[in-house]
Every structure is written in C-alpha cells, then in structure tokens.
Amino acid sequence: MPFVLLVVALLGGGLISLLLLNSALNEGSFQLSKLKRETTALTDEQQALQRDVDGYSAPDALQRRAQELGLVPGGSPVFIGPDGKITGAASPAEPPPPPVPPSAAAPQAPVATPAPTPTPTPAPSQSAAAPSPTPQPNQPPGR
C-alpha cells in the first residue's frame, strides 16, 4: 500500500509540474507575440519619422526653410589652418534680391523678327509656274 501511494504521489507531482511548466511557456508565448506587435508598430513609426527627416533634409526644403527664416547664402569661406594662418577673405553675405511675383514682372519686350527680304518678281516673259530662285530642300516621298 505505501508503494502505491508513493507512485500516485509521484505521478500527481509530475502532472502538476507539467501543468505549471506549460502555463509558463504559454505566458512567455503571449508576451513574445505582444512584443512582436509592439516592435512592428515602433518600426512603422521609425520609418515614418525617417521619411519626415528625409523630406526636411532635402536641398530644396532646406533652402525654402532658410529663406523663411531670413537666412542668406554665405560668401566665400575663410579657413584657419593648424598653424594659425588664415586663408581667404571674410566679407559680409549679400542678401539676394527679393523675389518678384509673376504678375508684377515687367512685360517682356517683343521678339524682333528679321525684316523680310524682297523677292525678285519674275520678268514678264517668264510664266507664273517658273521655279523660284531659292532652292527647295528635297523631301523624301511619304514623309
């Protein structure tokens, strides 16, 4: 009888430990899936932020933002060498001329066309179907 109770106790203890181990593994699985979802969301957010940074660091965006802030392009740079020698000449930056709206732009001057050259009139003895004195370019048929 004591041997049977010992075997039943060992089997019961083994089943309870298996149940606890399985529960711990399931809990870890749920935590892992939660962390995967969180990682996916954070990766999407990081990619969206990277697109924003790329948009703000584009040259045309930087130029537009600098103009909005009133910054002007710098002149030629001045360098100080390791020996203290200064290379270049410093000068203040010149502000660019203010942009002129298209409606306020000065009207364009009319384009000058070359004066037509007088064509010689055919002599009365020539017929009206006579070829003109200027050669005509040869065009291939069907084009």
Side-chain angles (χ1 to χ4, degrees):
M1 184 72 169
F3 179 72
V4 173
L5 287 177
L6 178 65
V7 170
V8 169
L10 285 175
L11 286 176
L15 287 176
I16 289 175
S17 63
L18 251 147
L19 181 64
L20 291 175
L21 182 64
N22 194 15
S23 296
L25 287 174
N26 283 339
E27 183 180 337
S29 174
F30 286 130
Q31 187 176 10
L32 180 65
S33 64
K34 176 186 167 199
L35 290 174
K36 283 184 179 180
R37 283 192 309 267
E38 188 176 327
T39 301
T40 302
L42 290 174
T43 301
D44 291 344
E45 182 180 354
Q46 187 263 342
Q47 289 175 352
L49 291 172
Q50 186 63 44
R51 279 193 307 269
D52 290 346
V53 167
D54 291 342
Y56 290 133
S57 64
D60 59 336
L62 287 174
Q63 181 183 13
R64 185 179 63 248
R65 184 70 177 133
Q67 288 174 347
E68 289 173 1
L69 292 173
L71 300 177
V72 296
S76 60
V78 176
F79 299 100
I80 300 177
D83 59 349
K85 183 178 178 184
I86 297 176
T87 307
S91 63
E94 298 291 327
V100 179
S103 61
Q108 294 181 350
V111 177
T113 56
T117 57
T119 56
T121 56
S125 64
Q126 294 178 342
S127 67
S132 64
T134 58
Q136 296 294 324
N138 293 335
Q139 293 184 353
R143 291 190 186 201

